[in-house]
Amino acid sequence: METQGLVDLQIMMFLLMGIGYFLRKWEIITMEGRRVLMDLIIDVILPCNIITAFQIPLDQEILAAGFQILLISLILQAFCSLISATCYRKVPKAQRMVLQYGTVCSNAGLLGNPVAEGLYGSLGLLYASIYLIPQRIVMWSAGVSYFTQCPSRKEVVKKVVTHPCIVAVGIGVVLMVSQIALPPFLQKTVSSLGGCTTAVSMVFIGAVIADAGVKDMVSRITVIYALIRLAAIPLAVLAGCLLAGVEPVAAGVSVVLAAMPAGSTTVVLAAKYHGDEKFATQCVVFTTLLSMAVLPVWCLLLNAVL
């Protein structure tokens, strides 16, 4: 993989956040406009992106090759859920929900595909698409439940099941399993909207930064979270893959995607469901900044041990 390609992708993200920052500072994006942008991301753009991501070809060879990495991803989601349930009990609730979501849901959906393709070509891209299936389901089910506040568990389940992104996951799974192709005009519409995810999400985060500020970005809790997100989780995946004798490409894709920073949707959902969006922004920006140095190190380590 060319390290420059990874750096360019991450610099692009920060440039987009910078645009959002100045648009908010100059009042081009107003507070009301920020709320509209948030709803647009959650209710329209992300669902379209999810549906598009699930449209991958399936045959017996792909199913056999993808089963191993799918199993790794499922085990990892269970492991991350355990970390979320046990490691943040003493953290204030508004911050705890951010850390829990940020632990189970990384930015692999945005950075994962280009990184996997850069490392392992088209096979890596295919494995990344399969790997992301459990995370996409978890992030819009258990992940959303970290933020939703309801008086009863029944209402929490109702909110999660009717969430636009969970509906999109259902549609995506049906399309993937059945291999039904959307009409060309509909496919182009959905993919065009989904293609806006990176740009619009980063601009939104930039607008949040303008209001929240990041002067307290480096703190004891964000450093601990960064160590969990960028070091402990991928290290556990690498150890498990080596012990189980996982095929090298599947192992490499799994470790790299496990080492991704906090997902940008952490900020979106914190703002949507009254979490600590300032703290969420600090976690996303801090881990993304660190990932610019950490991801190349993981790539070098994988080349050495796999």
Side-chain angles (χ1 to χ4, degrees):
M1 177 184 181
E2 295 183 5
T3 304
Q4 185 60 44
L6 177 59
V7 173
D8 287 344
L9 182 63
Q10 293 171 311
I11 291 175
M12 177 200 72
M13 292 170 59
F14 281 99
L15 288 176
L16 289 169
M17 285 191 287
I19 291 171
Y21 178 91
F22 286 109
L23 289 177
R24 178 70 188 105
K25 284 294 186 182
W26 296 335
E27 288 292 326
I28 295 174
I29 296 178
T30 63
M31 183 59 74
E32 179 61 30
R34 206 186 84 175
R35 285 191 287 267
V36 172
L37 199 60
M38 176 180 64
D39 290 336
L40 179 65
I41 294 169
I42 291 287
D43 296 337
V44 179
I45 294 176
L46 275 175
C48 289
N49 180 257
I50 291 168
I51 291 172
T52 302
F54 272 91
Q55 294 181 40
I56 56 176
L58 285 182
D59 55 35
Q60 288 186 348
E61 183 178 348
I62 291 175
L63 286 173
F67 177 77
Q68 199 173 41
I69 197 167
L70 182 64
L71 182 61
I72 294 169
S73 183
L74 286 169
I75 294 173
L76 176 60
Q77 288 302 315
F79 176 65
C80 290
S81 296
L82 179 63
I83 292 176
S84 295
T86 57
C87 291
Y88 309 120
R89 292 179 178 176
K90 296 182 180 180
V91 178
K93 187 174 183 180
Q95 294 183 347
R96 183 170 67 245
M97 62 177 67
V98 169
L99 294 171
Q100 288 176 320
Y101 182 87
T103 299
V104 300
C105 304
S106 71
N107 214 14
L110 172 63
L111 290 175
N113 285 348
V115 172
E117 186 176 20
L119 272 172
Y120 300 108
S122 58
L123 181 61
L125 182 60
L126 173 62
Y127 280 175
S129 298
I130 296 173
Y131 174 97
L132 286 168
I133 292 173
Q135 176 171 299
R136 293 187 187 281
I137 294 173
V138 169
M139 72 188 294
W140 299 117
S141 53
V144 174
S145 71
Y146 291 132
F147 288 98
T148 52
Q149 301 296 314
C150 296
S152 69
R153 183 170 297 181
K154 181 179 179 181
E155 289 186 40
V156 173
V157 172
K158 182 180 178 181
K159 275 193 173 186
V160 170
V161 170
T162 59
H163 193 283
C165 291
I166 271 294
V167 174
V169 167
I171 294 171
V173 169
V174 170
L175 292 175
M176 182 182 65
V177 173
S178 66
Q179 291 294 285
I180 296 174
L182 294 174
F185 69 90
L186 184 56
Q187 173 61 37
K188 289 181 180 179
T189 301
V190 172
S191 62
S192 294
L193 285 169
C196 299
T197 302
T198 300
V200 179
S201 295
M202 293 300 106
V203 168
F204 171 78
I205 292 174
V208 172
I209 292 173
D211 290 323
V214 291
K215 63 179 181 179
D216 300 320
M217 183 173 62
V218 181
S219 64
R220 180 176 177 273
I221 190 169
T222 57
V223 170
I224 291 174
Y225 169 69
L227 288 173
I228 292 173
R229 176 72 267 167
L230 300 177
I233 291 175
L235 185 61
V237 173
L238 177 59
C241 289
L242 291 175
L243 289 173
V246 175
E247 189 268 330
V249 176
V253 170
S254 299
V255 173
V256 168
L257 295 188
M260 292 292 156
S264 56
T265 49
T266 309
V267 179
V268 177
L269 292 176
K272 177 78 172 179
Y273 297 114
H274 311 295
D276 190 336
E277 63 181 275
K278 177 180 178 180
F279 177 69
T281 302
Q282 291 168 352
C283 289
V284 170
V285 175
F286 184 50
T287 55
T288 303
L289 277 171
L290 284 180
S291 72
M292 297 181 71
V294 172
L295 283 177
V297 173
W298 276 114
C299 292
L300 292 173
L301 179 61
L302 290 172
N303 287 334
V305 301
L306 294 179

